[in-house]
Amino acid sequence: MKRRTVLVAMAAAPLGAMLPLPAFAQKPIVLGFAQVGAESEWRTANTQSIKSSAQEAGIDLKFSDAQQKQENQIKAIRSYIAQKVDVIAFSPVVETGWDTVLVEAKNAKIPVVLTDRAISSKDDTLYVTFIGSDFTEEGRKAGRWLVEKEKGNAGPINIVELQGTVGSAPAIDRKKGFEEIIKSDPKFKIIRSQTGDFTRAKGKEVMEAFLKAEGKKINVLYAHNDDMAIGAIQAIEEAGMKPGKDIIIISVDGVKGAFEAMMAGKLNVSVECSPLLGPQLMSVVKDIKAGKSVPKRIVTQEGIFPMEVAAKEFPNRKY
Ligand code: GZL
């Protein structure tokens, strides 16, 4: 009934006063998304969230995987500009080097949304909003957990650090937040710090090198994501040491693999970093197309999961 009424109204209205098309007759919004890659459990869950949310929202998604290479993300953004998509969204693999291509998007009048990771640019008109976690706070949460855990220990407490992708916002900010907290007590010393590029394989490889160089001097591992921690756990076991006991392990993301490691007593705590950004992204894309204003920064809310709660929390995990 309603549908016919709308159509009748349109036929009667003079051409100059055409009513807006009803939702079922409007062409779908086209969103171009340039993803970092498929480097971790977190990224896989993030991709799944974006694809399933686009489908549920009736948004036509064009998706690309850059295999963690900035030049591939830039190529994808340029192809979306050429295709004249309605909105472009991406998770910048590193913070810098985006201004040129984002000026091209701006000149093409295509709004850009940052998800997951931020960019470092003087011109914040190059994107409409940034939806993602507060990585510095994630680093602080990791540091606060360690300070509390070791409050009765006079030290020294030697820490090795597996950093995320060099130049990426999560790697820069998780390091900054962690160091901000542990610098309060000189017993904490970061004796080795190197990138494992957020992957299990590289995390294992770098941890093997740390163990070769420092061996039993290592008290704590701080890994910027669960995948590198899981790789490091393999290296620690192969070196004949007990992960979670001989070496306390702190990581970030809260993926299922981390919960399984915590339930096995091999990982001590994982700071949550939610990849489930799809629903928020689609809602923002629709608001932008509807001409609504959106906040410049949308922060995802997250917790922290020590091994003691892992078994109880595991059934609730969505990624
Ligand atoms: C964080 C995200 C990071 C994850 C890693 O929002 O960018 O990239 O912590 C992923 O697991 O590779």
Side-chain angles (χ1 to χ4, degrees):
M1 192 58 160
K2 198 160 177 274
R3 192 168 162 158
R4 210 176 48 245
T5 309
V6 169
L7 290 176
V8 166
M10 277 165 59
L15 272 184
M18 285 297 278
L19 295 170
L21 283 172
F24 63 83
Q26 287 168 358
K27 75 179 185 58
I29 295 170
V30 181
L31 168 65
F33 190 90
Q35 180 60 293
V36 166
E39 74 281 0
S40 62
E41 269 189 67
W42 190 98
R43 188 64 55 198
T44 304
N46 180 246
T47 291
Q48 179 52 39
S49 175
I50 286 157
K51 287 183 174 175
S52 57
S53 301
Q55 195 165 20
E56 279 152 33
I59 285 175
D60 178 0
L61 178 69
K62 296 183 181 308
F63 183 90
S64 70
D65 170 338
Q67 289 147 357
Q68 287 189 284
K69 292 183 175 61
Q70 180 174 31
E71 63 268 24
N72 290 346
Q73 279 194 301
I74 290 171
K75 260 192 227 133
I77 291 169
R78 285 204 166 108
S79 80
Y80 297 146
I81 294 169
Q83 295 172 62
K84 296 185 172 39
V85 299
D86 294 304
V87 181
I88 290 170
F90 75 115
S91 167
V93 61
V94 292
E95 285 194 344
T96 55
W98 302 102
D99 283 27
T100 302
V101 73
L102 294 184
V103 165
E104 291 167 24
K106 186 176 178 181
N107 292 342
K109 297 193 179 6
I110 300 176
V112 173
V113 174
L114 303 182
T115 75
D116 165 28
R117 299 182 184 179
I119 63 171
S120 160
S121 169
K122 290 191 180 62
D123 182 359
D124 76 354
T125 67
L126 294 176
Y127 62 91
V128 175
T129 183
F130 164 40
I131 306 168
S133 308
D134 179 342
F135 301 132
T136 309
E137 183 56 20
E138 291 170 351
R140 293 191 195 101
K141 286 177 185 174
R144 289 187 203 113
W145 180 88
L146 182 61
V147 167
E148 177 60 23
K149 167 95 179 155
E150 299 292 359
K151 65 183 176 203
N153 181 344
I157 295 168
N158 296 319
I159 304 162
V160 293
E161 180 182 29
L162 286 170
Q163 296 182 36
T165 301
V166 175
S168 69
I172 293 166
D173 292 349
R174 285 172 186 166
K175 181 172 188 53
K176 184 169 67 179
F178 183 73
E179 289 174 350
E180 183 187 302
I181 299 298
I182 65 165
K183 73 179 183 212
S184 59
D185 189 331
K187 72 183 179 183
F188 294 111
K189 285 181 182 42
I190 297 180
I191 58 173
R192 297 264 170 169
S193 181
Q194 193 178 326
T195 184
D197 209 17
F198 283 133
T199 68
R200 289 191 184 197
K202 200 88 174 94
K204 180 179 183 201
E205 185 189 311
V206 174
M207 190 66 203
E208 284 164 351
F210 286 164
L211 288 161
K212 214 168 166 165
E214 303 291 352
K216 299 205 184 313
K217 265 180 63 189
I218 300 170
N219 307 115
V220 176
L221 162 63
Y222 171 45
H224 290 185
N225 86 326
D226 294 333
D227 286 70
M228 294 190 293
I230 291 164
I233 284 168
Q234 290 166 8
I236 292 166
E237 290 182 315
E238 287 170 10
M241 295 169 79
K242 290 191 179 60
K245 296 174 184 62
D246 299 334
I247 296 178
I248 298 298
I249 305 178
I250 307 165
S251 76
V252 186
D253 279 349
V255 297
K256 285 200 172 104
F259 277 81
E260 286 155 353
M262 287 194 278
M263 290 188 285
K266 299 179 180 178
L267 174 66
N268 298 86
V269 61
S270 184
V271 176
E272 187 180 31
C273 173
S274 176
L276 307 180
L277 305 177
Q280 279 177 307
L281 173 58
M282 299 312 149
S283 162
V284 160
V285 165
K286 286 189 170 180
D287 285 349
I288 289 170
K289 281 309 287 171
K292 292 181 187 166
S293 69
V294 294
K296 197 70 186 170
R297 179 76 173 90
I298 301 169
V299 183
T300 39
Q301 303 307 316
E302 294 148 351
I304 178 168
F305 299 102
M307 68 161 54
E308 295 75 15
V309 305
K312 183 164 161 289
E313 174 63 24
F314 186 63
N316 308 326
R317 301 304 295 164
K318 296 192 183 70
Y319 65 92

